[in-house]
Amino acid sequence: MASRSLGGLSGGRGGGGGKKSLSARNAAVERRNLITVCRFSVKTLIDRSCFETIDDSSPEFNNFAAVLEQILSHRLKGQVTWFGYESPRSFWDYIRVACRKVSQNCICSIENMENVSSSRAKGRAWIRVALMEKHLSEYISTALRDFKTTRRFYEDGAIVLGEEANMLAGMLLGLNAIDFSFCLKGEGLDGTFPAVIDYTPYLKFEQSSDSISSDEEELRTFGSSDSESSTPENVGPPLIMDENSWFNKCKRVRQKYQLTLEQKGYLEELLRLRENQLSESVSQNKVLLQRIEDSDLAHKLEKEQLEYIIVELQDQLKSYQSLDQLSAEVSLSQASLDPSHSQEGDGKQDSLNFIGEGKEDTPSLLGLCGSLTSVASYKSLTSLKSNDCLASPTAEMTSPGLTPS
């Protein structure tokens, strides 16, 4: 009895350890499967974007959204109510808190959406908006860096708490090169049912040659037992399957070829428009350069003309100053010859000096004075003075009142 109880106890302990190891293995396999499927879904999404626009009707996107939703919901803690019960949560509750630090985030806009009420629907709307903004990888990286919040929302063994989280942020970075177009009022935002992953596009089974030969032997055996007239050549399901597979491959290649031709035509048309725009811009650039050269030449000619005018004005100013000095010397010499006129000349000179003291000798005034004292006026003045001086003595000598009687 004692041995049996000890054996049962040891068996119980061994069973507990086996359960723990089995649960750990299952959690590791689940994490690895989700990360692998996520990588495959990202690759298929990038390949599909080369041929068509990605929207809600794309099966590749629907599968990727389901995979991402499963990853963010993996081992997510429930919300404890007042009565101690644990209600299920959506990954949107975690994203709403952990992604507040992202600059220009869309959290508030999604919270205020009228047609989206449930938490799961808001999370799906966030995935679509983040993809259209090309910031999904940034959101995930920011949320994973907030380790305290992540620990508060997820249990141990979750993908976002393991080493796979860094791989997830790196995989999502390639989606920034895709232009997405989603409608935020469609059926894809319905949060009533959970997302289901379709694994069939990522499963590929290749039958070995030994397995094919064994299948042929089995078919021959079954055919001979059913009817003696049947031959192995008449039975060929593997050949039919191969033909169907080759037909499907050829059909996909033809579709890709048609899409490539359409893209080629679009790119050629776009290239032609860009070449026309480039030629027009080059011609406009040439016209502008010619205008700049013409304006520079006109400015140079105008500058040279202004410099020539300045030099000529300076020469005229010097000549006027020399004429003023000459007229002053002549007036002084005449005043020394005629004392009676010297007093008048002194009075005039004093008045001129008084006027000159009230004004500054600027080049403009000097030029004006020089223009007034021209050569013609100077000659007329001297001739008049000389005639007056010569006429006064003769008049006295020939006057009848002064002749001696």
Side-chain angles (χ1 to χ4, degrees):
M1 294 292 291
S3 61
R4 289 182 181 179
S5 62
L6 290 174
L9 183 60
S10 63
R13 289 178 180 176
K19 288 181 180 179
K20 290 182 179 179
S21 62
L22 183 61
S23 63
R25 176 193 173 276
N26 291 339
V29 170
E30 187 178 7
R31 291 197 303 269
R32 187 167 60 251
N33 288 341
L34 286 174
I35 290 297
T36 304
V37 173
C38 182
R39 184 170 66 251
F40 288 158
S41 64
V42 170
K43 287 183 178 180
T44 55
L45 197 59
I46 293 174
D47 293 340
R48 177 58 61 182
S49 66
C50 298
F51 305 104
E52 62 183 16
T53 304
I54 304 299
D55 53 10
D56 295 281
S57 62
S58 175
E60 289 81 7
F61 165 72
N62 293 326
N63 215 24
F64 166 76
V67 173
L68 185 60
E69 185 175 343
Q70 292 285 346
I71 290 175
L72 294 177
S73 301
H74 182 249
R75 300 186 71 84
L76 183 66
K77 291 181 181 179
Q79 188 175 5
V80 180
T81 61
W82 288 98
F83 300 101
Y85 296 104
E86 187 175 348
S87 61
R89 259 180 178 170
S90 174
F91 68 93
W92 170 247
D93 299 329
Y94 165 68
I95 293 297
R96 180 181 57 187
V97 177
C99 295
R100 290 285 184 183
K101 298 179 181 179
V102 179
S103 59
Q104 298 179 357
N105 60 73
C106 60
I107 304 299
C108 295
S109 59
I110 292 176
E111 285 284 354
N112 297 328
M113 291 178 66
E114 297 179 355
N115 60 322
V116 179
S117 58
S118 65
S119 179
R120 182 181 293 171
K122 289 180 180 179
R124 293 175 180 176
W126 167 78
I127 292 175
R128 286 160 171 78
V129 173
L131 287 172
M132 287 191 290
E133 292 179 350
K134 302 181 186 297
H135 290 162
L136 181 60
S137 178
E138 183 181 358
Y139 279 106
I140 297 297
S141 300
T142 305
L144 295 177
R145 282 196 296 267
D146 191 357
F147 189 73
K148 184 177 179 181
T149 305
T150 307
R151 290 286 300 177
R152 183 160 58 91
F153 278 88
Y154 288 92
E155 299 177 355
D156 293 336
I159 294 177
V160 294
L161 292 175
E163 298 178 356
E164 296 87 357
N166 297 327
M167 299 172 57
L168 177 64
M171 284 187 292
L172 299 178
L173 190 62
L175 298 177
N176 295 341
I178 303 177
D179 295 329
F180 294 92
S181 177
F182 300 119
C183 178
L184 300 180
K185 297 182 180 180
E187 298 179 355
L189 299 181
D190 186 13
T192 307
F193 303 101
V196 180
I197 303 174
D198 184 13
Y199 292 96
T200 54
Y202 316 120
L203 298 177
K204 184 179 180 181
F205 174 71
E206 294 182 358
Q207 193 173 9
S208 62
S209 59
D210 297 336
S211 178
I212 293 174
S213 61
S214 63
D215 291 342
E216 291 177 354
E217 291 292 337
E218 292 178 357
L219 289 172
R220 290 194 189 96
T221 305
F222 291 147
S224 59
S225 62
D226 291 338
S227 60
E228 296 179 356
S229 61
S230 62
T231 58
E233 289 77 12
N234 296 333
V235 181
L239 184 60
I240 295 174
M241 291 175 64
D242 291 340
E243 289 180 355
N244 290 334
S245 63
W246 280 110
F247 178 76
N248 293 331
K249 289 181 180 179
C250 182
K251 186 177 180 180
R252 287 195 297 269
V253 171
R254 188 180 293 109
Q255 291 176 355
K256 290 182 179 180
Y257 178 71
Q258 294 293 334
L259 291 172
T260 306
L261 284 180
E262 293 177 0
Q263 289 185 349
K264 179 176 176 291
Y266 170 73
L267 292 176
E268 287 178 351
E269 182 68 18
L270 186 63
L271 180 62
R272 186 181 62 82
L273 293 175
R274 293 293 182 268
E275 287 179 351
N276 293 336
Q277 293 177 357
L278 181 61
S279 61
E280 291 178 359
S281 62
V282 169
S283 60
Q284 292 178 0
N285 189 18
K286 289 182 179 179
V287 172
L288 291 176
L289 290 175
Q290 186 64 33
R291 289 180 180 177
I292 292 172
E293 291 179 357
D294 295 340
S295 62
D296 289 340
L297 182 60
H299 292 162
K300 288 180 181 179
L301 293 175
E302 187 176 358
K303 183 179 178 182
E304 292 178 357
Q305 292 177 359
L306 291 174
E307 290 177 352
Y308 178 75
I309 291 172
I310 290 171
V311 172
E312 186 177 359
L313 290 174
Q314 289 176 352
D315 294 339
Q316 291 180 3
L317 183 60
K318 292 179 181 179
S319 63
Y320 293 155
Q321 289 177 355
S322 62
L323 288 174
D324 291 338
Q325 293 177 359
L326 181 61
S327 62
E329 291 176 358
V330 171
S331 62
L332 289 173
S333 62
Q334 290 178 355
S336 62
L337 293 175
D338 191 0
S340 61
H341 291 280
S342 63
Q343 296 178 356
E344 297 177 359
D346 292 338
K348 293 180 180 180
Q349 187 67 26
D350 293 338
S351 63
L352 291 173
N353 291 333
F354 176 75
I355 294 171
E357 289 175 357
K359 298 181 181 180
E360 296 180 356
D361 295 336
T362 59
S364 60
L365 292 175
L366 292 174
L368 181 60
C369 295
S371 62
L372 291 175
T373 58
S374 60
V375 178
S377 62
Y378 170 72
K379 289 181 179 181
S380 62
L381 181 61
T382 53
S383 62
L384 179 60
K385 289 182 178 180
S386 61
N387 292 329
D388 291 339
C389 294
L390 293 175
S392 57
T394 54
E396 291 178 357
M397 292 175 65
T398 56
S399 177
L402 295 177
T403 57
S405 55

